[in-house]
Amino acid sequence: MKKIFLIISLLFPGIVSNAQELRTDISVHDPVMTRQDSTYYIFCTGNGIAMWSSADRVQWKAEKPVFAAAPQWAVDAIPGFKGHIWAPDISLYKGTYYLFYSVSAFGKNTSAIGVATNTTLHTDDPAYKWVDHGKVLQSIPGKTNWNAIDPNLITDNGGTPYLVFGSFWDGLKLVKLNKDRLSVAEDLDKIPTIATRRKVISENLPAVDGNPVDAGGNAIEAPFIFKHDKYFYLFASIDYCCKGPKSTYKMIIGRSKNLKGPYLDKEGIAMNKGGGSILLAGDANWYGVGHNGVSTFDGVDYIIFHGYDAADRGISKLRVEKLDWVDGWPEVGK
């Protein structure tokens, strides 16, 4: 067998090299997925923004990070930032890919959201080049009671772009963007909260695990809005990620006919008043699951997220599952 492998490697080095590069069961955090032509791409948290490619959504090849060096604006804006970029979001508009991303100091709302563009995702295309447009918005401790991370771009029924984002503090926020999708079009002091764990505005849930007092225990983040039939569906993650076997992450859902909400859960409780129906939680195989995106390929909807693998020390792994629709609500395919 070794002789056969050696002969193949000598005659067809590219084939063997590519085979060695392909991996399954990959470790990711906060993945989003898209497809260009016949190639699937994942963007996720990592140094410079991690990027993977695949022909079948099963075997993945690690591509070079989006940024070879930390964007200078982010280094200037976030003390101690060294290039580890969180929770990207990918979308296509008029032939250009928009990649929103987060930079932050862990556990603080010293955070900002930036955006980069590219005309292709194929790394072997001569036109492949990410152009960074810098900061879109920023949160500042003591000034903004929200956290500028976990962006997701969505358009309303008229095609106007919005960015939903947020983590802890006051919850999930929604802001209108200008037509160029590179800057905000609203007063950031007046943007609404569309989801929170707080049942009343004045409530301040107790801080846990060393979280800042102003962030409290309002453990909600990772918003993603997906349009299906006549509703906009707001996906979010609650409780705690990033703790390996102690992770308690789970996903919740609500829906609205208006992009701006209110988003109601299955019991009719608004998500901006503490509502949210559980979509998926951890089980014997996964300690916690969350931070999802939704993509449609060939008429089928898929939910893309990470889970903490109980069979592998709680390491965060990629999960891609079919998303079914039952009586107007999403269900993760079995």
Side-chain angles (χ1 to χ4, degrees):
M1 188 68 181
K2 289 181 179 179
K3 290 183 178 179
I4 295 175
F5 185 85
L6 178 60
I7 293 172
I8 293 174
S9 66
L10 291 173
L11 294 176
F12 307 101
I15 293 176
V16 174
S17 175
N18 288 337
Q20 290 176 317
E21 291 175 350
L22 294 176
R23 295 170 52 192
T24 60
D25 198 34
I26 61 174
S27 180
V28 303
H29 262 101
D30 318 325
V32 288
M33 188 187 300
T34 190
R35 181 176 68 182
Q36 182 180 352
D37 303 320
S38 59
T39 303
Y40 298 90
Y41 292 95
I42 279 178
F43 297 88
C44 54
T45 293
N47 288 323
I49 306 178
M51 179 180 177
W52 298 80
S53 64
S54 173
D56 57 7
R57 301 194 306 269
V58 176
Q59 299 184 90
W60 293 92
K61 174 187 174 184
E63 301 287 354
K64 291 182 179 179
V66 169
F67 296 121
Q72 188 58 48
W73 75 264
V75 173
D76 295 338
I78 310 298
F81 178 71
K82 292 181 172 57
H84 193 256
I85 299 175
W86 299 356
D89 177 74
I90 189 73
S91 58
L92 177 64
Y93 177 66
K94 292 187 175 180
T96 297
Y97 289 93
Y98 290 76
L99 185 67
F100 288 85
Y101 58 90
S102 328
V103 295
S104 182
F106 192 84
K108 301 178 181 179
N109 64 335
T110 305
S111 309
I113 291 171
V115 62
T117 58
N118 205 333
T119 57
T120 180
L121 302 181
H122 297 329
T123 56
D124 59 354
D125 189 322
Y128 179 83
K129 180 182 180 181
W130 288 103
V131 177
D132 188 38
H133 300 274
K135 181 174 66 178
V136 177
L137 56 92
Q138 183 172 2
S139 55
I140 301 172
K143 181 179 179 181
T144 54
N145 194 33
W146 40 264
N147 196 10
I149 68 170
D150 296 359
N152 168 240
L153 185 139
I154 181 67
T155 56
D156 66 11
N157 289 326
T160 300
Y162 285 79
L163 201 67
V164 60
F165 65 94
S167 172
F168 284 79
W169 279 267
D170 196 38
L172 308 183
K173 311 294 281 189
L174 183 72
V175 63
K176 183 168 70 172
L177 299 180
N178 287 308
K179 291 182 179 179
D180 63 4
R181 304 185 175 210
L182 303 177
S183 56
V184 300
E186 290 185 294
D187 183 348
L188 288 172
D189 291 330
K190 298 179 180 179
I191 57 176
T193 296
I194 62 171
T196 178
R197 304 290 297 277
R198 299 171 177 170
K199 298 185 184 301
V200 294
I201 295 176
S202 60
E203 181 182 20
N204 189 23
L205 301 172
V208 298
D209 292 343
N211 286 334
V213 174
D214 53 347
N218 193 22
I220 185 170
E221 58 189 15
F224 193 96
I225 298 177
F226 182 75
K227 180 73 182 299
H228 176 77
D229 289 340
K230 59 184 177 181
Y231 286 102
F232 292 94
Y233 291 82
L234 173 58
F235 296 78
S237 296
I238 61 172
D239 294 333
Y240 295 90
C241 76
C242 317
K243 295 179 180 295
K246 295 183 179 180
S247 299
T248 56
Y249 231 20
K250 52 187 69 73
M251 290 178 273
I252 60 172
I253 189 73
R255 68 183 187 184
S256 173
K257 291 183 179 179
N258 189 321
L259 175 62
K260 295 183 178 181
Y263 288 87
L264 306 182
D265 66 16
K266 292 181 179 180
E267 304 301 321
I269 302 173
M271 292 181 74
N272 62 1
K273 295 183 179 179
S277 299
I278 297 293
L279 174 66
L280 192 65
D283 56 25
N285 297 316
W286 300 93
Y287 293 118
V289 292
H291 206 119
N292 74 279
V294 179
S295 298
T296 304
F297 303 121
D298 303 319
V300 179
D301 296 328
Y302 295 90
I303 186 166
I304 299 96
F305 58 100
H306 71 256
Y308 299 95
D309 190 351
D312 193 6
R313 299 161 290 154
I315 292 174
S316 179
K317 301 287 185 66
L318 172 67
R319 290 188 60 183
V320 180
E321 307 287 350
K322 183 181 177 183
L323 197 65
D324 297 317
W325 298 90
V326 180
D327 298 327
W329 290 96
E331 291 187 358
V332 179
K334 305 299 183 183

